[in-house]
Amino acid sequence: MLVYIFKEIEKSKVYKAIRWFFSSIFYIALIGIITLISNIYGMEILTLKLFTLFGLIIPFIFLDDLTPIIPPLFFGYITISRINNDYQTNTSIFNNIEFINTLYLYFTIIFSLLLIRIILDFIIKKDRKRNLRFIISLVLMSISFVLGGALTEFYNSNTIYYSLVLGGLFIIPYLVLMLTIDFTKLRVDYFAYLLLVFGIVLTIELAHIYLSQGLENIFNGEVNKSFIYTGWGIDNNIGGALTLSTVSSAYLSIKKRFGFLYLPFLFINLISVVFTLSRAAILTIILLFIISIVLIIIYSKRKRRLINIITLLILVSLSILSYFIFKKYIDKVVEPILNTLLKEDLDAISSGRLTIYKYGIDQFLNNKLFGVGFFSLEIHSAPYLQTGFVPARYHNTIVQILSSSGLFGIITYLIHRVSTITPLFKKPKEEEIFIFLSILGLILSSLLDCHLFNLGPTMEYSILLALYNGIIINRSNN
């Protein structure tokens, strides 16, 4: 705001220092630390206030765009603690009156400041490029969700309310970032640092879950998936979120002078996903891990390629050595997964997913045009869906959309998916490839799970889509 009134502020050292900090990995790390404190110690109300202060109020007053809003938006979902939101003890943060009142108050502040900033930017910064290349497909897809079950007895208010929130989380973060951020000034590696810190925070949250349960209890018998959960999700949710950050370290290893120092995080990410025991996430991250190794070899230049290959060989050797040192612990994690894969039939391996898929396809075949909405999966329920607002889902994006929204839904989804893939056929920069691979992690893991319809990951997807769009804008300017 001040920079619009007093243009000379842009030349001051104070302004440059503020802008540098809020565009740096140190600011992202600060948001990561606040996220961890919230998740571990149950300080969601304080976190909401700090996120609003750092992510919006300070940038609104001092800066010429709202880049600092990205990390709080992206990390917000994983701040919820088990202390205040534990489905096993029937504790819900949404029953906490103080939290709800604070939420309403700060959402009002956030909405008001964003609206003012968007209007001012349109008036003052008319020349800013705002190429909203994904907005039409996102809107069409969201409309198809709202119409899920239309013209049938399944069309009800639950589907409408849930679909409006779901569509809003697909559209609003994307729209806000595209309208309030000058992507020509955003550093091209911003997405990689965002995802790197995100992965580190998730790994620490997962480690805290194991440590808080007592390692001697966990590794005394067969590791049980039921203890792997936090306030914002269970094992599958944690694993799915971790897949988002997989390729960030690969990108940084290619682009940075001492990039080999980022490669250990590629292995840490893989190991962390294994410890979630989420089979869908493990399959996804193995694929992304292999792709990352290939891209590191292809895109690294000269001396950097040699250093990266040597580092990878050292890390592989250390991983093998670590396995033999900690074999009795690692086997307790890996054996249940292997036993399930080797001894059970396909439906049991998939935890009943094939039965759910068949049920969903049958629903689609009986209601082809608009499906049956989001609240018609009667053969499956999830105990961690405490509020009843989020429905039980089909654990597969295609089946979910066919069943919930019918032909209209799947056509709009395919239109959106084509719109995200086509930029890769126009001489993409490395940044476009790697950020798309992060998005691909969410898409692939959602073929065996519900991530894209879990609201929090929906918002993360929308943010990554805006960053992807921003990188495309940068490419077109150069």
Side-chain angles (χ1 to χ4, degrees):
M1 180 69 75
L2 290 178
V3 75
Y4 291 162
I5 302 170
F6 307 105
K7 289 295 294 180
E8 63 274 11
I9 287 178
E10 285 186 281
K11 299 176 182 178
S12 72
K13 291 182 179 179
V14 174
Y15 174 84
K16 290 178 179 178
I18 293 173
R19 184 166 185 82
W20 173 85
F21 172 72
F22 279 107
S23 300
S24 71
I25 189 175
F26 300 104
Y27 170 64
I28 300 172
L30 173 64
I31 296 300
I33 291 168
I34 295 171
T35 299
L36 282 172
I37 292 171
S38 177
N39 179 261
I40 294 172
Y41 297 106
M43 303 182 72
E44 290 89 345
I45 293 175
L46 176 61
T47 296
L48 177 59
K49 294 176 180 179
L50 291 175
F51 275 14
T52 306
L53 176 65
F54 289 120
L56 187 55
I57 294 175
I58 294 176
F60 179 87
I61 295 171
F62 292 103
L63 300 179
D64 62 345
D65 81 353
L66 296 185
T67 296
I69 201 173
I70 298 174
L73 275 179
F74 201 80
F75 285 71
Y77 180 59
I78 65 170
T79 61
I80 305 299
S81 70
R82 186 164 163 172
I83 294 171
N84 294 318
N85 204 61
D86 188 338
Y87 76 93
Q88 289 195 3
T89 61
N90 202 31
T91 303
S92 174
I93 194 167
F94 297 102
N95 292 329
N96 183 322
I97 300 300
E98 183 186 1
F99 177 77
I100 294 299
N101 289 338
T102 306
L103 199 64
Y104 284 143
L105 172 63
Y106 276 79
F107 271 24
T108 303
I109 295 171
I110 291 167
F111 176 80
S112 301
L113 293 180
L114 284 176
L115 187 60
I116 293 169
R117 192 56 181 258
I118 290 170
I119 293 171
L120 283 174
D121 279 7
F122 266 108
I123 295 171
I124 299 171
K125 294 188 172 289
K126 296 177 182 178
D127 58 337
R128 178 180 291 173
K129 288 189 178 293
R130 300 178 178 90
N131 178 13
L132 309 178
R133 66 181 304 129
F134 303 124
I135 193 64
I136 294 175
S137 62
L138 285 173
V139 169
L140 287 174
M141 190 169 64
S142 300
I143 291 171
S144 76
F145 295 156
V146 175
L147 292 176
L151 306 180
T152 73
E153 69 272 22
F154 301 104
Y155 199 49
N156 56 48
S157 59
N158 283 345
T159 283
I160 295 172
Y161 294 149
Y162 170 73
S163 298
L164 286 172
V165 172
L166 182 69
L169 290 173
F170 270 116
I171 295 169
I172 293 173
Y174 170 78
L175 202 56
V176 165
L177 297 189
M178 294 308 301
L179 294 179
T180 62
I181 293 175
D182 185 351
F183 285 99
T184 61
K185 294 181 179 179
L186 185 67
R187 52 191 296 175
V188 294
D189 57 9
Y190 189 90
F191 79 95
Y193 285 119
L194 178 76
L195 293 173
L196 179 71
V197 175
F198 186 69
I200 293 170
V201 169
L202 286 168
T203 296
I204 296 172
E205 287 191 6
L206 180 64
H208 175 258
I209 292 171
Y210 271 86
L211 292 170
S212 63
Q213 294 297 307
L215 294 178
E216 69 283 355
N217 297 324
I218 295 168
F219 293 107
N220 190 37
E222 185 177 289
V223 176
N224 187 347
K225 286 180 69 170
S226 64
F227 80 88
I228 306 175
Y229 73 96
T230 186
W232 56 268
I234 60 172
D235 56 295
N236 289 348
N237 307 125
I238 301 168
L242 277 163
T243 62
L244 289 174
S245 63
T246 307
V247 299
S248 59
S249 51
Y251 169 82
L252 291 167
S253 75
I254 293 166
K255 288 292 186 178
K256 299 302 173 184
R257 184 180 178 187
F258 297 103
F260 67 94
L261 295 174
Y262 293 101
L263 288 175
F265 294 107
L266 183 63
F267 287 75
I268 291 169
N269 214 237
L270 174 65
I271 294 166
S272 297
V273 171
V274 171
F275 273 83
T276 67
L277 307 185
S278 170
R279 287 161 294 180
I282 291 170
L283 289 172
T284 302
I285 203 165
I286 287 173
L287 177 60
L288 291 175
F289 183 87
I290 294 169
I291 292 172
S292 295
I293 299 297
V294 172
L295 291 179
I296 289 168
I297 295 170
I298 292 173
Y299 283 113
S300 296
K301 300 283 194 302
R302 303 181 186 88
K303 183 180 177 182
R304 192 171 296 167
R305 177 183 293 155
L306 178 62
I307 294 172
N308 281 340
I309 290 173
I310 292 171
T311 305
L312 287 170
L313 290 173
I314 292 171
L315 289 169
V316 169
S317 301
L318 288 174
S319 299
I320 294 170
L321 179 63
S322 299
Y323 169 73
F324 286 106
I325 293 174
F326 301 104
K327 186 176 185 299
K328 66 177 181 178
Y329 300 111
I330 296 171
D331 285 350
K332 287 184 183 295
V333 173
V334 175
E335 282 176 4
I337 301 171
L338 294 178
N339 288 339
T340 303
L341 294 174
L342 296 174
K343 296 180 180 179
E344 304 286 353
D345 61 48
L346 198 56
D347 194 48
I349 289 172
S350 64
S351 301
R353 280 167 171 72
L354 293 186
T355 301
I356 296 173
Y357 297 166
K358 183 180 182 302
Y359 187 79
I361 295 298
D362 288 341
Q363 287 179 315
F364 161 68
L365 292 174
N366 291 323
N367 304 272
K368 294 185 181 68
L369 188 56
F370 294 113
V372 296
F374 281 94
F375 287 82
S376 299
L377 183 51
E378 297 167 354
I379 64 169
H380 174 65
S381 62
Y384 48 85
L385 302 176
Q386 296 180 62
T387 64
F389 178 76
V390 179
R393 282 138 295 145
Y394 296 79
H395 290 76
N396 178 283
T397 302
I398 305 302
V399 176
Q400 177 75 59
I401 294 175
L402 283 171
S403 177
S404 303
S405 304
L407 285 172
F408 186 34
I410 199 65
I411 290 170
T412 60
Y413 176 74
L414 290 175
I415 290 170
H416 173 63
R417 190 53 54 229
V418 169
S419 75
T420 61
I421 294 172
T422 49
L424 298 177
F425 294 97
K426 299 176 182 178
K427 295 182 180 179
K429 297 170 69 174
E430 287 99 325
E431 290 77 20
E432 289 170 70
I433 294 170
F434 279 93
I435 197 167
F436 180 81
L437 284 173
S438 296
I439 294 171
L440 185 65
L442 184 58
I443 295 169
L444 291 178
S445 58
S446 295
L447 292 177
L448 292 170
D449 224 305
C450 314
H451 306 306
L452 207 57
F453 297 89
N454 273 354
L455 302 186
T458 311
M459 182 164 65
E460 290 159 1
Y461 173 83
S462 181
I463 295 165
L464 288 176
L465 209 60
L467 292 172
Y468 182 41
N469 196 158
I471 288 170
I472 295 168
I473 290 173
N474 267 331
R475 190 227 301 173
S476 65
N477 283 347
N478 296 328

